[in-house]
Amino acid sequence: MRLVIMGPPGAGKGTQATVVATTLGVPHVSTGDLFRANVGEGTPLGLEAKRYMDAGEYVPDSVTNGMVRDRITQPDCHPGFLLDGYPRTLEQVNELDMMLAAASQSIDRVVELTVDTDEVVERLLKRAQEQGRADDTADVIRRRLEVYAEQTAPLTAVYAGRDLLVRVDGMGEVTEVTRRILSALAD
Ligand code: AMP
């Protein structure tokens, strides 16, 4: 199964993607995690990405697309994967289509986690205290939500048009949301 999970910052994508990927037995490919790993290791890609991440902006496609291509063409992704945080722009949708078409593959399903915006901001501020992420300050959170609304939210219409989109209520207990996602994917 080749899956994408979408939703605004703080929707719980990362938490859900980790559990869902383990349950389905496919790798969890998170662009945010890949960027953070590169930042932590101080690689050139990490240094480039950090400038954008710290400001709540998207890392340029010239950096992001290549990183995703390298990851999803690894052997462990051959049977399937769960993409978390990619695609985030229409250009990335096209790029992903091309990457997959080159291997005669395509996306099977896109899960959109829907949440209440006030709840999202609260979750992100809590995560800022717990994990100390540089991009979880109030100003940067606001910018990340704006960028999501402008650039990423429109992608759901694209995937709905292809009949791939399933909307899942992301509010409530983590285990309950996981159950909803797995049940939506089983339909
Ligand atoms: P996330 O952990 O998914 O919230 O991602 C953290 C940050 O990494 C984002 O705010 C962006 O700066 C960057 N990022 C992650 N995925 C992408 C992507 N697909 N395109 C551009 N930037 C991304």
Side-chain angles (χ1 to χ4, degrees):
M1 251 198 167
R2 292 179 191 86
L3 305 171
V4 171
I5 186 161
M6 291 183 55
K13 283 192 310 292
T15 306
Q16 292 299 334
T18 305
V19 185
V20 171
T22 306
T23 307
L24 299 177
V26 293
H28 168 206
V29 178
S30 156
T31 42
D33 287 351
L34 289 171
F35 282 133
R36 281 183 288 275
N38 276 279
V39 170
E41 288 161 19
T43 68
L45 186 150
L47 292 177
E48 168 81 2
K50 187 173 173 4
R51 298 193 283 137
Y52 297 93
M53 295 170 77
D54 285 352
E57 304 293 337
Y58 286 168
V59 179
D61 283 353
S62 54
V63 178
T64 309
N65 289 330
M67 182 179 77
V68 172
R69 183 181 295 106
D70 286 350
R71 180 65 192 93
I72 67 173
T73 50
Q74 299 288 314
D76 66 323
C77 285
H78 200 70
F81 49 75
L82 173 54
L83 272 178
D84 159 15
Y86 185 95
R88 261 174 151 106
T89 63
L90 288 170
E91 290 75 15
Q92 291 180 7
V93 170
N94 294 333
E95 191 66 30
L96 177 62
D97 285 343
M98 286 190 286
M99 285 180 215
L100 293 175
S104 304
Q105 296 171 348
S106 57
I107 292 296
D108 296 305
R109 211 71 75 83
V110 176
V111 175
E112 181 194 8
L113 279 183
T114 59
V115 283
D116 180 272
T117 314
D118 291 343
E119 166 99 349
V120 158
V121 174
E122 217 168 276
R123 278 189 195 179
L124 289 170
L125 288 169
K126 191 159 161 249
R127 186 170 73 186
Q129 284 173 348
E130 289 166 1
Q131 300 178 6
R133 260 177 63 162
D135 58 352
D136 274 346
T137 61
D139 281 351
V140 178
I141 289 170
R142 206 168 304 119
R143 181 63 194 143
R144 285 165 61 215
L145 287 165
E146 271 173 19
V147 174
Y148 182 85
E150 284 164 17
Q151 301 201 42
T152 306
L155 270 51
T156 58
V158 173
Y159 286 120
R162 295 184 192 177
D163 223 6
L164 295 178
L165 188 73
V166 284
R167 286 205 168 84
V168 174
D169 179 4
M171 306 295 291
E173 290 292 315
V174 170
T175 50
E176 172 56 18
V177 176
T178 308
R179 194 199 58 72
R180 287 181 205 142
I181 295 174
L182 292 173
S183 122
L185 289 174
D187 279 345

